[in-house]
Amino acid sequence: MEQIIDKTKPILVTGASGYIANWIIKYLLEEGCTVHGTVRDLQNEKSVGPLNKIAESAPKGTLKLFKADLLDEGSFDEAIQGCEVVMHTASPFVVRGFKDAEQALIKPAVEGTRNVLEAANRTDSVKRVVLTSSVAAVFGDNADLKKNPRGIFNEEDWNFSSSLDHQPYSYSKFLAEKEAWKIHDAQSRWRLVTINPSMVGGPALTKYSHSTSIDTLRSLGNGKLWPGVPNMRLGWVDVRDVARAHVEAAFRSDAEGRHIVSNGEPSMLEVASILKQKFGNRYKFPLFELPKFIVKWFGRVMDPSAKPRFIEQNAGHPLKFDNSRSKARLGLQYHPLEQTFVDHFQQLIDDGLIR
Ligand code: NAP
């Protein structure tokens, strides 16, 4: 069904300081839109500074920042006023460095989604919600692949293998998206469109994001994964394509449903080889793939999140995502992944995040 969105109305972007949100806001401002961005702390220069820079370089649009926390009920009520489109990107993307996954991941993801969508329910102007979900809501590990008759994941699939103890970040994204559809289905004013990206790469507009995206690429060049990596494939996509997908999902009159946004599943060694070809021997890129049993039993020395079950279920297995719906329905034209990795690594060097 056609649904016309008025681009002159403000657009709410939650988690404005984030890696992906920065690019969404840049594109919206370049189109001349008014963005209501939320951050947890308006005094935090690390959140607000990069956003002000983005706004300065896109003077056609207007950026207004509001304070909001996912865990505070009613927190988004001010920022959402007058908005037809809500883009809910805020959610922690961390896989290590926490003790309690419920507090660190599940609560902000699920309660946060509920708080934002209940604010949408209270606000008559809202017509559309674009949710930053993830392929983590689609697929958890090889247990899901084994049950998949197509051998490739598409928008009909859900992650049934993650839990609080096993891949809790993926579980948080599964629960948050399910919650969003439940709240959506109980009303009829606003439409829900989800963007389900795989691992996002590409240059950041901030040096300060805690996104696992940044850590993942950095670890391939800072010696942390030298001399070898697990034989593991990840779906990857360029941050600029993910941001473009959000903008298309917001404004296309017929946008609806879920969209896998992913552009290939290179192994970790293949990603490292692309970087090595471009940046040579100045950095300690991994040299080979480690046997699975070594990573399974000793991987946690290098990375506490590499638990034996995680390695067992994720290393040495095939992985494939079907991105055809994102191309057909959002008109996405993906950046080649080589460019994604090279541009990202160059930004890490330029910003002093890798030596
Ligand atoms: P990011 O840079 O860490 O951004 C996360 C944002 O969430 C930050 O702006 C952070 O705000 C906000 N946030 C976290 N806890 C919050 C809370 N309690 N209240 C309010 N805001 C809170 O990560 P990202 O990679 O851009 O991720 C953005 C979204 O994309 C997430 O929903 C993530 O699950 C999803 N995603 C990411 C990837 C990827 O590979 N990067 C892939 C698929 C999906 P503060 O600055 O205030 O901390």
Side-chain angles (χ1 to χ4, degrees), residues 14-22 38-41 44 47 68-71 76 88-94 104 108 132-136 169 172-173 195-201 206 208-214 236-237 239 242 246:
T14 70
S17 57
Y19 170 48
I20 296 173
N22 275 190
T38 69
V39 293
R40 268 188 282 189
D41 180 1
N44 184 349
S47 300
D69 194 302
L70 291 171
L71 300 174
F76 295 88
H88 178 37
T89 83
S91 205
F93 179 24
V94 288
T132 316
S133 186
S134 170
V135 293
Y169 166 72
S172 78
K173 297 305 285 182
I195 301 300
N196 297 69
S198 54
M199 179 64 89
V200 181
T206 170
Y208 305 112
S209 160
H210 296 293
S211 173
T212 296
S213 275
I214 316 296
W236 279 95
V237 62
V239 66
V242 175
H246 282 74

Side-chain angles (χ1 to χ4, degrees), residues 267-282:
S267 69
M268 291 176 79
L269 194 64
E270 283 164 355
V271 179
S273 303
I274 291 168
L275 294 174
K276 198 171 170 189
Q277 235 174 24
K278 172 75 186 175
F279 298 97
N281 293 325
R282 274 178 294 154

Side-chain angles (χ1 to χ4, degrees), residues 74-207:
S75 206
F76 295 88
D77 283 353
E78 192 191 347
I80 204 170
Q81 286 314 308
C83 295
E84 286 196 357
V85 173
V86 170
M87 295 199 188
H88 178 37
T89 83
S91 205
F93 179 24
V94 288
V95 295
R96 58 184 74 85
F98 53 84
K99 283 206 175 83
D100 183 345
E102 176 77 41
Q103 293 299 323
L105 289 165
I106 312 292
K107 245 182 130 190
V110 179
E111 272 183 31
T113 299
R114 206 176 292 140
N115 280 336
V116 172
L117 298 195
E118 278 169 3
N121 275 343
R122 286 191 290 273
T123 311
D124 288 345
S125 57
V126 175
K127 287 184 174 174
R128 190 171 292 189
V129 174
V130 180
L131 174 76
T132 316
S133 186
S134 170
V135 293
V138 170
F139 143 90
D141 68 22
N142 190 51
D144 289 320
L145 187 63
K146 273 190 190 153
K147 288 187 203 143
N148 187 315
R150 287 174 253 107
I152 180 166
F153 291 103
N154 69 19
E155 287 82 0
E156 287 169 22
D157 295 313
W158 286 94
N159 172 357
F160 290 117
S161 60
S162 297
S163 65
L164 194 56
D165 302 323
H166 176 58
Q167 300 185 206
Y169 166 72
S170 301
Y171 190 48
S172 78
K173 297 305 285 182
F174 164 79
L175 292 176
E177 195 190 323
K178 280 284 185 192
E179 184 68 14
W181 283 112
K182 193 173 105 192
I183 298 169
H184 165 265
D185 292 348
Q187 58 80 53
S188 56
R189 175 172 25 86
W190 49 268
R191 188 183 288 184
L192 179 62
V193 188
T194 74
I195 301 300
N196 297 69
S198 54
M199 179 64 89
V200 181
L205 300 171
T206 170
K207 288 194 248 186

Side-chain angles (χ1 to χ4, degrees), residues 227-293:
V229 277
N231 168 14
M232 212 161 97
R233 292 186 177 276
L234 282 180
W236 279 95
V237 62
D238 196 293
V239 66
R240 295 161 284 198
D241 300 331
V242 175
R244 185 61 65 202
H246 282 74
V247 175
E248 295 295 331
F251 296 141
R252 285 192 176 226
S253 58
D254 61 349
E256 52 82 28
R258 307 176 87 197
H259 302 84
I260 287 179
V261 174
S262 182
N263 191 30
E265 303 80 11
S267 69
M268 291 176 79
L269 194 64
E270 283 164 355
V271 179
S273 303
I274 291 168
L275 294 174
K276 198 171 170 189
Q277 235 174 24
K278 172 75 186 175
F279 298 97
N281 293 325
R282 274 178 294 154
Y283 301 92
K284 281 187 121 183
F285 297 115
L287 300 173
F288 46 78
E289 275 173 354
L290 296 168
K292 187 166 172 173
F293 76 92

